[in-house]
Amino acid sequence: MPRKINLVLWGVVLFVAWNALLLLFLWTRPGSDEHGALTNEVIRLAEDAETELERQKSLLQQIHDYSAVWSRQRKKPGTTRAPAAVAALPQAANEDSVQGPTKIPQRPASWGPSENAVIPVLVIACDRSTVRRCLDKLIQHRPSKERFPIIVSQDCGHEETARVIAGYGDAVTHIKQPDLADLQVPSDHRKFQGYYKIARHYRWALSQVFRNFKYRAAIVVEDDLEVAPDFFEYFSATFPLLRDDSSLWCVSAWNDNGKEQMVDNKHPEALYRTDFFPGLGWLLLADLWEELEPKWPKAFWDDWMRHPDQRKERACIRPEVSRTMTFGRKGVSHGQFFDQYLKFIKLNDRYVPFTEQDLSYLKKENFERTFLAEVYDAPEVRVEELLGNQRKELGAVRVQYSNRDTFKAFAKALGVMDDLKSGVPRAGYRGIVSFLFRGRRVFLAPRRDWAGYDPTWS
């Protein structure tokens, strides 16, 4: 490839030199208007040819650059993911399902580096006209309509919500889930019909994004989420980690234990790995959807994602301070967890320039080396000492649990979410849950010789 580029460069030099000599010859001849016209025509042709050669040189340089990237990717063991080119050119969706403007936002003409990657935001909507709050914040904070096109996928056929979405014109693309029929569910699951419809909608919407529009990555949010000012900056910076690290399978904007008094607001730049799938504003790649779509569940898709058969010991990135918050108390879960936890989640309000930071500490080997040392070097204390505000001189401390019952008891006492999914605690990594308690860092952790999650703990 470098040889081809050199040939083009030499061609440009020879072409310009030849035309310079030809023009010198014409200018030195005594001339008439005919000679002047000929000279002008030669100049125009030379300029056109030079412009075309420059364009071809630029294209060859881009091909060379991305050939090098692909070569590096092929040499990396254990990864088959695509390099910086995140998105393919979107194609029109099924005309019967697209509402409003039919022009789909397109990616730039060339595949740029990761900071120019096109990552659509898929908004899952149903019958909340308050989707306006979600869309207003997305549009307000997104740095580029071209880089972050918004696709609103609506289920339920709710006309008022549809009118709200249509009111955004070409700022968003509005698609509608065509199958609104009730689903056949087991008799003891009739009250969970809504969860079945949500799973059906997710499958259809994600298939539209990855199959029809041909995007290579997407950020998924729901219609009751508000995003932080640096929401897009966060995903721009973490996307390369997800793309290049096969031990990761998502990036989430959510901290399950993100109540204001439990997070370090002085360090909103802090990020962690977690074995728990957080959802609530998350980034995935098309290759993950190719893996999940054939076995997508009929209901309870988020808990299904947390099962070992899906997670496959992969982790997600999550922030110390959440980049999303939920304002939707009413839903299919009938407010479960909302009054106790969700409404208290702290939404980050300080812009962090993540793309200017070195996030290599989140790579598995680096993170485990530093994080595990920090956890197990911290002095162990008893829950009673924390509750009594004792031993404050120690700074960061560790509370050790040994089984399901002690984890749940300690978590409840310290205000941490105590439910487990397939044995994994919310926001946990290698069984460790990190949070603030009365202003100091606490690690609720298993023994140092932890041997893995026990799904029977659920």
Side-chain angles (χ1 to χ4, degrees), residues 283-336:
L283 169 67
L284 75 158
L285 302 181
D287 61 355
L288 178 63
W289 182 242
E290 291 174 3
E291 173 190 329
L292 298 178
E293 183 186 25
K295 55 179 181 176
W296 190 252
K298 294 182 178 180
F300 310 109
W301 70 271
D302 48 351
D303 283 344
W304 174 84
M305 289 277 288
R306 294 160 183 152
H307 192 275
D309 289 349
Q310 278 63 253
R311 189 172 68 83
K312 297 180 179 178
E313 299 186 355
R314 294 172 292 191
C316 295
I317 300 297
R318 61 96 174 165
E320 169 77 5
V321 186
S322 290
R323 264 58 187 187
T324 56
M325 64 165 286
T326 178
F327 53 85
R329 183 182 187 279
K330 183 180 179 182
V332 294
S333 63
H334 303 292
Q336 183 185 19

Side-chain angles (χ1 to χ4, degrees), residues 261-264 389 395 435-442:
Q261 70 273 21
M262 299 181 71
V263 296
D264 188 351
N389 209 23
F435 58 97
L436 290 191
F437 183 80
R438 296 181 180 175
R440 61 173 161 177
R441 179 64 57 182
V442 175

